[in-house]
Amino acid sequence: MKNIELINIAEQFGTPIYVYDSDKIKSQFFRLKNAFKSIHNLRINYAVKASPNISILKFLNNLGAGLDTVSIQEVELGLKAGFNPKKIIFTPNGINIEELEEASKKNIQINIDNLSVLEQFGSKYPDCPVCIRINPHIMAGGNNNISVGHIDSKFGISIHQIPHLLRIVNNTKMKINGIHMHTGSDILDIDVFLNASEILFSAAKEFKNLEFIDFGSGFKVPYKKGDLETNIEELGKKLSSRFTDFCKDYGKKLDLYFEPGKFLISEAGFFLTRVNSIKQTTSTVFAQINSGFNHLLRPMFYGSYHEILNLSNPKGNERFYSVVGYICETDTFASNRKIPEIKENDILAFKNAGAYCYSMSNNYNSRYRPAEILWYNNKANLIRKQEDFNDLISNQVILNF
Ligand SMILES: *Cc1c(COP(=O)(O)O)cnc(C)c1O
């Protein structure tokens, strides 16, 4: 999207506001599809938790995507967006069995990551096909909050527990139709991914009635200049040929699934804010914007870097700023950041604001969650209104003292 289009949106709809460029979502979707073009039964399941707006889900449904969901509410959002339940996979962790039962009654593909739950579910519903989430114990990179494949991780069934898993499957006569891994966000190294895939292939051989193998996600996208990103094209070449060979050995053409969130939508998103004030202190210059970690948590939660553009003065002399919010809490978006000179009322845009940004927003300090815009057909379409005071109090039960 062009700067002028973003400025117009900020003028027309106000700030703070999230904007998603549907052309970028589409090009990322087809980039992944093309990388695996030799695989005819490829399924790209968008990870709803990255950005769960129903209009975005509908857009992805039209492209041919399926969904990866982690709660029954995300399943409901997918159904509301018109997805065929067969194209929704449910990969929760730490939930109770009733939530799994609810999803399976809606014909959603269940993915189980816990032996105790597997045994309970298999004993009760031996005819309901189930996918299993394996933890291959491969570190995919990234920090500890977003790596989920290591030995102490709570995610998945350890690869070392396969004998126990097989015993449950044999005893209950349940059907395993898929095998899954998700080694966490931020895969830097293709070889790490391929090593984990080999572990998954060797586990897959133990199950005779598979229909698909799900390689999860964790593809890395660049957040700043010089960042490494997953070379999807190279991964596509290497994994496709290995997958095709595996299917020959296995004696059946399986479907290949991925479930990217970040890869599809991170770079499509912009978060637009306005500068409330400039504050000089003894040590720095603060640019204080009309937002905080209530709207964009990633810099404070993960130490994530989001590039910041000054849309109002893109060619100005660069100076060093600490960009902070208006929340009564330390909410630093960036410190010692070189940005073209900022004045009060300037519009600052955060890049890579598509994934895990709006979806992690909250009402701290009783602020409203922002509006969302989908840029589609060269037009700004409002896909979520900003909250108002009624949203803050609608569930409060006010006592009459
Ligand atoms: C979050 C999640 C994803 C998506 O991860 P990204 O890093 O956004 O691509 C995929 N699968 C599962 C099971 C997840 O929990």
Side-chain angles (χ1 to χ4, degrees), residues 155-309:
F155 296 98
I157 297 168
S158 166
I159 191 71
H160 307 300
Q161 290 175 306
I162 291 279
H164 189 173
L165 202 167
L166 286 172
R167 190 201 304 229
I168 291 170
V169 171
N170 289 334
N171 287 346
T172 58
K173 309 261 181 299
M174 67 188 302
K175 318 240 164 342
I176 302 299
N177 68 340
I179 186 162
H180 166 274
M181 70 171 188
H182 171 63
T183 48
S185 259
D186 282 4
I187 293 177
L188 280 169
D189 192 340
I190 288 178
D191 290 330
V192 173
F193 195 87
L194 292 171
N195 285 345
S197 306
E198 286 307 322
I199 294 173
L200 203 62
F201 286 134
S202 66
K205 280 190 215 140
E206 305 284 346
F207 303 91
K208 298 300 162 217
N209 301 304
L210 293 184
E211 288 158 12
F212 64 91
I213 301 185
D214 186 337
F215 291 93
S217 176
F219 305 137
K220 190 171 166 62
V221 297
Y223 275 70
K224 57 176 185 288
K225 286 188 189 77
D227 264 3
L228 292 171
E229 63 176 308
T230 307
N231 187 336
I232 289 289
E233 288 70 25
E234 189 187 339
L235 179 68
K237 252 186 223 142
K238 291 186 170 161
L239 186 59
S240 298
S241 97
R242 184 63 189 91
F243 184 76
T244 306
D245 287 348
F246 174 81
C247 289
K248 266 183 211 139
D249 282 354
Y250 189 77
K252 182 175 169 190
K253 269 199 176 154
L254 301 176
D255 295 351
L256 192 167
Y257 288 9
F258 284 112
E259 45 192 37
K262 234 182 223 178
F263 179 81
L264 290 178
I265 202 168
S266 172
E267 294 166 283
F270 298 86
F271 181 48
L272 310 183
T273 63
R274 214 175 258 282
V275 178
N276 281 337
S277 63
I278 299 291
K279 184 173 190 173
Q280 313 253 2
T281 66
T282 49
S283 60
T284 188
V285 183
F286 287 107
Q288 298 188 287
I289 60 174
N290 61 349
S291 182
F293 72 27
N294 51 325
H295 298 148
L296 177 56
L297 183 63
R298 299 186 77 255
M300 304 82 183
F301 191 34
Y302 299 128
S304 307
Y305 184 102
H306 287 261
E307 201 179 323
I308 302 173
L309 309 175

Side-chain angles (χ1 to χ4, degrees), residues 4-183:
I4 182 71
E5 292 160 348
L6 293 171
I7 289 176
N8 287 343
I9 288 171
E11 302 290 352
Q12 187 188 344
F13 295 91
T15 58
I17 194 164
Y18 278 98
V19 181
Y20 310 99
D21 179 358
S22 66
D23 296 330
K24 183 67 184 178
I25 300 173
K26 187 174 173 179
S27 67
Q28 288 293 92
F29 182 85
F30 285 105
R31 196 181 145 200
L32 183 54
K33 224 175 141 73
N34 279 335
F36 286 85
K37 57 180 177 294
S38 68
I39 306 290
H40 295 296
N41 23 10
L42 173 76
R43 173 102 76 74
I44 300 172
N45 292 327
Y46 168 64
V48 175
K49 74 180 187 294
S51 182
N53 188 292
I54 291 174
S55 297
I56 291 172
L57 302 186
K58 283 177 80 170
F59 180 74
L60 282 153
N61 193 13
N62 289 344
L63 295 180
L67 292 184
D68 171 65
T69 56
V70 295
S71 70
I72 193 71
Q73 291 78 9
E74 286 189 352
V75 169
E76 296 286 1
L77 287 173
L79 293 172
K80 186 143 183 83
F83 279 83
N84 181 337
K86 297 240 166 329
K87 288 181 84 172
I88 302 179
I89 180 162
F90 184 38
T91 304
N93 79 90
I95 64 164
N96 75 28
I97 189 158
E98 278 101 56
E99 198 172 324
L100 271 182
E101 289 174 342
E102 206 179 326
S104 83
K105 283 198 190 99
K106 296 178 192 295
N107 290 320
I108 307 296
Q109 172 70 52
I110 309 285
N111 188 9
I112 294 182
D113 93 326
N114 172 321
L115 289 179
S116 152
V117 173
L118 188 75
E119 185 168 332
Q120 292 173 63
F121 192 86
S123 308
K124 229 166 149 181
Y125 308 100
D127 297 325
C128 177
V130 164
C131 174
I132 41 174
R133 178 173 184 171
I134 298 292
N135 188 336
H137 302 310
I138 294 265
M139 280 286 270
N143 67 33
N144 279 334
N145 284 329
I146 49 181
S147 287
V148 296
H150 55 90
I151 194 84
D152 293 327
S153 163
K154 71 167 181 167
F155 296 98
I157 297 168
S158 166
I159 191 71
H160 307 300
Q161 290 175 306
I162 291 279
H164 189 173
L165 202 167
L166 286 172
R167 190 201 304 229
I168 291 170
V169 171
N170 289 334
N171 287 346
T172 58
K173 309 261 181 299
M174 67 188 302
K175 318 240 164 342
I176 302 299
N177 68 340
I179 186 162
H180 166 274
M181 70 171 188
H182 171 63
T183 48

